[in-house]
Amino acid sequence: MSKIIALANQKGGVGKTTSSINLAASLAVLEYRTLLVDADPQANSTSGIGFDPRTIKASIYECIINDIDPREAIQKTDTPFLDLLPAHIDLVGAEIEMINLTDREYKMKAVLNRVRDDYDFIIIDCSPSLGLITINALTASDSVIIPVQCEYFALEGLGKLLNTIKIVQNRLNKELEIEGILLTMYDVRLRLSNQVVEEVKTHFQELVFETIIQRNTRLSEAPSFGVSVIMHDANCKGAINYLNLAREIVRKNGLVKELPAGQEAAGEAVV
């Protein structure tokens, strides 16, 4: 039975898609069977991992609306242990089409339940809105990661998102937990970045991940090559940050694998 984690924030530009792709890839590199679900009509996770959304024939949209088997839509990526359930532009119309469906908030949950036993982790990249698709993702998930950028107005809109999560917890998914708040786009040279880190940690304390994602050129350019940062440059800061985040999540959930003799030192060396 896999752990399903949604990455959600209705604000755009907080590193949500970047974090979805690279967390999923890092978990895969640690040899956890991982499925990345692109639940954003912009399909940036799909293109960012090397697929052209315009050529995708079956996607999360067809699974939700036409009830096709998700295994028909899932794509193997170039990263071992990492699969993708892609999106394309049709997903933008799914919210309207779902309005009259029964159990409309549970459509994605039904889709993912069909493949849940095939994976250790399922990572959902949500759209930058609090619409029906995002509600579906939160209803389908065990927990949610909230990316927050280390910039001015970082906490703006966070209250609205937390309120939405509370509503989902009360009405649709009592098991939903906050996995953690992830600080992104941190620049050690900027006083503002340090102020935001302090402010978020003061407000949310133990909810904030120890791992902070730093600004990194390699991290920014990896999607243009259609690969995760760990496949682009495994030794850069961005890759190391996301590997550390993956390890933190694995430890937090008590899912640490015993490494074969001789591999332990090599595995820890990446941190």
Side-chain angles (χ1 to χ4, degrees):
M1 185 71 82
S2 57
K3 171 98 179 184
I4 303 180
I5 305 174
L7 280 86
N9 193 328
Q10 78 273 24
K11 281 186 73 176
V14 298
K16 185 168 42 58
T17 296
T18 299
S19 295
S20 299
I21 291 171
N22 291 301
L23 171 59
S26 296
L27 289 165
V29 164
L30 295 174
E31 299 190 358
Y32 292 89
R33 296 167 304 157
T34 305
L35 176 66
L36 174 61
V37 178
D38 193 348
D40 184 349
Q42 295 175 80
N44 289 337
S45 276
T46 300
S47 58
I49 206 100
F51 294 88
D52 184 348
R54 294 168 299 182
T55 65
I56 295 291
K57 296 289 187 284
S59 71
I60 184 74
Y61 169 83
E62 282 77 18
C63 296
I64 291 172
I65 301 301
N66 300 331
D67 200 31
I68 75 159
D69 189 324
R71 290 182 184 87
E72 293 177 30
I74 287 171
Q75 305 280 338
K76 293 276 180 197
T77 74
D78 291 336
T79 306
F81 296 98
L82 179 61
D83 292 347
L84 171 74
L85 181 50
H88 56 57
I89 193 63
D90 285 357
L91 190 60
V92 79
E95 297 204 356
I96 297 166
E97 294 179 60
M98 289 165 71
I99 285 172
N100 295 320
L101 297 179
T102 55
D103 295 328
R104 60 187 182 185
E105 295 91 353
Y106 296 94
K107 292 298 177 186
M108 194 180 298
K109 184 182 178 77
V111 170
L112 297 183
N113 278 347
R114 295 169 80 170
V115 293
R116 186 162 189 166
D117 291 338
D118 299 344
Y119 297 96
D120 299 309
F121 285 96
I122 296 177
I123 305 295
I124 308 174
D125 179 22
C126 298
S127 62
S129 74
L130 295 178
L132 192 50
I133 298 292
T134 300
I135 297 298
N136 259 262
L138 294 174
T139 302
S141 298
D142 300 308
S143 63
V144 56
I145 291 174
I146 304 168
V148 174
Q149 81 279 36
C150 295
E151 293 177 359
Y152 199 58
F153 295 136
L155 299 180
E156 189 184 63
L158 202 52
K160 191 174 180 184
L161 175 60
L162 291 170
N163 191 47
T164 300
I165 290 169
K166 196 171 286 184
I167 290 168
V168 171
Q169 286 170 328
N170 289 336
R171 300 182 187 174
L172 300 167
N173 182 4
K174 288 182 167 46
E175 310 301 316
L176 182 66
E177 297 177 345
I178 296 176
E179 190 74 26
I181 292 171
L182 177 64
L183 290 160
T184 63
M185 304 181 193
Y186 174 76
D187 190 333
V188 70
R189 299 166 299 177
L190 298 180
R191 182 185 298 170
L192 178 61
S193 281
N194 293 304
Q195 287 173 341
V196 171
V197 170
E198 289 306 311
E199 189 177 359
V200 173
K201 284 187 172 178
T202 300
H203 272 81
F204 299 103
Q205 297 171 2
E206 73 279 355
L207 278 181
V208 184
F209 283 110
E210 289 174 26
T211 306
I212 295 175
I213 309 301
Q214 295 169 277
R215 280 195 181 276
N216 180 246
T217 306
R218 290 285 196 233
L219 197 54
S220 304
E221 67 189 23
S224 65
F225 292 93
V227 293
S228 63
V229 70
I230 202 161
M231 298 296 279
H232 184 49
D233 182 354
N235 295 314
C236 73
K237 259 182 203 164
I240 292 166
N241 288 165
Y242 279 108
L243 270 169
N244 286 341
L245 175 65
R247 285 199 175 97
E248 191 175 341
I249 288 168
V250 165
R251 281 197 304 269
K252 185 177 177 183
N253 288 283
L255 297 170
V256 178
K257 287 183 177 179
E258 291 295 323
L259 286 170
Q263 283 191 20
E264 193 169 349
E268 288 302 316
V270 189
V271 183

